[in-house]
């Protein structure tokens, strides 16, 4: 059987995020070249992917329409960059979060790619102007920031460089949709992109509330997991406003003053260190000791929950 999609994708770096991208692209029916400078990394990534795909198939959570065996056969490893990118239509870079390393890799790619391929980075913090400025193929460059683990959490933030062609953004958006991810477009770069800006706003208020003794760390987490988070898995904060009154205008009329009053009581940016850090660390470690065995077990449980939630979201959408 032929792959369902024409075109080949290259994933550069076969670590945590690279192997997950490889699975997502293969799930969408694309042939994937997994490139790394460390052969052992590729070998262990392929072993991991093969095992994961079989488990996902057994639990009914494998993405796409192809069997695990077929999807796995679409992925091949490669340690030569030039060979890897030959005939590629999309390149997803997933190397460690180091500016100089990523600049070097995009510089190398710039010399060997054609004018059609899209050069995309998984970076979670580096701005496109830092990564891509000066490249000959800057029009084809974009940040596609996934959320860990991308296989279960589909959001991808698309962040263009000021010189990125609109068609690069459109094509990346279409590709992400095709492989079952949920892309969002940022019109310009901003520190933290959007996801981390929202996340840090929540983290900093959580830190202040615990620091001021208003609530315990365990109860703070419950406010999110058994409160806000329940609906945020289905509707965002803006739609929440719209639904929590007779529409957005009515919400603002009712709650504008109250929101501004509360927001003005927010404290300064925490330093995330010292006594409060120790207090929160102790509380978190009571539940999950910070050693690899306990952390990995809890991560596996989290991923299982996310898988169940992904299933539920799929069901709810089709209703
Ligand atoms: P990782 O450390 O697990 O994997 C990096 C891989 O890159 C390794 O396999 C390494 O051998 C390889 N590598 C190193 N130098 C290379 C080179 N010159 N050419 C090719 N491969 C090379 O890192 P991880 O966690 O997968 O992160 C990758 C990127 O994804 C980073 O930019 C990170 O910010 C971003 N990201 C990470 C998330 C996370 O939760 N881990 C979430 C979203 C984005």
């Amino acid at each position: 059987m032929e792959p369902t999609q024409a075109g080949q994708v290259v994933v550069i770096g076969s670590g945590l995020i690279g192997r997950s991208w490889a699975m997502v692209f293969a799930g969408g029916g694309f042939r994937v070249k997994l490139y790394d400078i460390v052969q052992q990394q590729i070998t262990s990534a392929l072993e991991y992917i093969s095992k994961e795909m079989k488990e996902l198939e057994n639990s009914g959570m494998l993405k796409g329409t192809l069997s695990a065996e077929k999807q796995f056969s679409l992925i091949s490893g490669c340690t030569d960059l030039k060979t890897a990118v030959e005939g590629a239509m999309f390149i997803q870079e997933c190397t460690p979060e180091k500016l100089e390393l990523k600049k070097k890799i995009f510089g190398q790619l710039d010399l060997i790619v054609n004018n059609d391929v899209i050069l995309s980075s998984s970076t979670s913090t580096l701005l496109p102007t830092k990564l891509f400025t000066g490249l000959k193929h800057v029009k084809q460059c974009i940040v596609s920031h996934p959320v860990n683990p991308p296989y279960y959490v589909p959001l991808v933030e698309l962040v263009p460089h000021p010189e990125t062609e609109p068609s690069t953004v459109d094509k990346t958006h279409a590709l992400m949709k095709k492989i079952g991810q949920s892309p969002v477009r940022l019109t310009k770069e901003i520190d933290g992109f959007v996801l981390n800006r929202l996340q840090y706003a929540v983290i900093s208020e959580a830190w202040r509330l615990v620091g001021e003794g208003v609530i315990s760390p365990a109860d703070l987490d419950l406010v999110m997991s058994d409160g806000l988070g329940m609906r945020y898995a289905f509707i965002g904060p803006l739609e929440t406003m719209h639904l929590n009154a007779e529409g957005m205008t009515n919400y603002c009329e009712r709650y504008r003053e109250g929101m501004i009053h509360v927001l003005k009581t927010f404290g300064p940016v925490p330093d995330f260190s010292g006594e409060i850090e120790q207090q929160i660390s102790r509380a978190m470690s009571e539940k999950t000791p910070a050693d690899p065995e306990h952390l990995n077990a809890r991560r596996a449980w989290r991923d299982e929950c996310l898988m169940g939630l992904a299933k539920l979201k799929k069901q709810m959408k089709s209703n």
Side-chain angles (χ1 to χ4, degrees):
M1 194 168 49
E2 284 298 305
T4 55
Q5 305 291 344
Q8 181 180 292
V9 173
V10 179
V11 172
I12 297 190
S14 60
L16 184 71
I17 294 298
R19 46 188 80 180
S20 211
W21 270 122
M23 289 170 64
V24 173
F25 282 115
F30 286 94
R31 273 180 296 126
V32 181
K33 280 260 171 69
L34 192 51
Y35 166 83
D36 205 297
I37 42 166
V38 185
Q39 175 60 51
Q40 182 48 37
Q41 272 290 97
I42 299 179
T43 308
S44 79
L46 290 173
E47 279 167 15
Y48 167 88
I49 292 171
S50 168
K51 187 169 157 274
E52 277 287 294
M53 282 182 166
K54 277 186 205 131
E55 283 175 14
L56 288 163
E57 188 169 54
N58 290 338
S59 62
M61 281 306 289
L62 188 71
K63 286 187 182 234
T65 52
L66 302 173
S67 68
E69 197 186 348
K70 178 68 199 167
Q71 290 189 23
F72 183 64
S73 76
L74 294 176
I75 306 174
S76 58
C78 189
T79 49
D80 181 65
L81 191 58
K82 212 162 173 200
T83 313
V85 305
E86 241 165 43
M89 56 119 188
F90 191 86
I91 300 174
Q92 183 70 30
E93 171 275 319
C94 312
T95 59
E97 192 72 347
K98 290 185 189 137
L99 178 62
E100 288 315 314
L101 172 67
K102 286 190 193 283
K103 276 177 72 168
K104 190 175 134 210
I105 290 165
F106 281 106
Q108 286 170 347
L109 289 169
D110 201 33
L111 298 175
I112 54 177
V113 295
N114 61 30
N115 293 333
D116 297 318
V117 65
I118 291 176
L119 304 174
S120 168
S121 174
S122 298
T123 182
S124 32
T125 57
L126 303 170
L127 297 178
T129 47
K130 292 269 183 278
L131 285 173
F132 306 135
T133 296
L135 295 181
K136 203 166 59 167
H137 294 93
V138 62
K139 290 176 181 171
Q140 298 154 235
C141 293
I142 189 164
V143 165
S144 305
H145 172 225
V147 185
N148 188 39
Y151 203 81
Y152 307 121
V153 187
L155 187 85
V156 183
E157 293 184 283
L158 305 183
V159 193
H161 181 278
E163 292 173 62
T164 300
E165 284 265 345
S167 68
T168 300
V169 185
D170 291 344
K171 282 186 208 161
T172 307
H173 192 274
L175 177 65
M176 292 298 155
K177 295 281 278 190
K178 198 176 245 177
I179 60 173
Q181 299 304 95
S182 180
V184 294
R185 300 165 196 257
L186 274 64
T187 57
K188 57 181 179 186
E189 66 180 29
I190 180 165
D191 282 316
F193 308 144
V194 172
L195 182 134
N196 275 328
R197 292 181 80 89
L198 290 179
Q199 173 162 247
Y200 295 161
V202 171
I203 288 176
S204 61
E205 184 55 10
W207 203 268
R208 284 188 294 260
L209 288 167
V210 171
E212 286 164 18
V214 175
I215 193 166
S216 70
D219 278 358
L220 184 291
D221 271 357
L222 273 181
V223 170
M224 186 57 80
S225 60
D226 279 354
L228 284 176
M230 297 283 288
R231 57 183 177 221
Y232 282 171
F234 296 91
I235 56 171
L238 301 178
E239 191 178 355
T240 296
M241 294 166 81
H242 195 57
L243 299 186
N244 277 2
E246 299 312 310
M248 180 60 87
T249 305
N250 181 250
Y251 187 97
C252 290
E253 273 164 24
R254 284 198 214 175
Y255 301 116
R256 178 183 291 127
E257 272 181 38
M259 278 194 296
I260 294 170
H261 168 75
V262 172
L263 284 166
K264 283 186 174 164
T265 68
F266 278 35
V269 174
D271 58 12
F272 302 109
S273 66
E275 239 172 72
I276 307 172
E277 182 202 338
Q278 283 168 22
Q279 183 198 348
I280 295 177
S281 175
R282 267 196 310 273
M284 293 299 108
S285 298
E286 252 172 49
K287 191 166 169 183
T288 309
D291 57 68
E293 191 192 338
H294 288 93
L295 290 173
N296 283 336
R298 186 75 177 159
R299 287 183 189 121
W301 172 81
R302 173 202 64 191
D303 288 354
E304 214 176 293
C305 294
L306 290 172
M307 201 199 291
L309 184 61
K311 234 182 209 172
L312 177 65
K313 278 176 72 99
K314 214 165 150 189
Q315 274 169 18
M316 301 299 286
K317 259 189 194 151
S318 57
N319 284 339

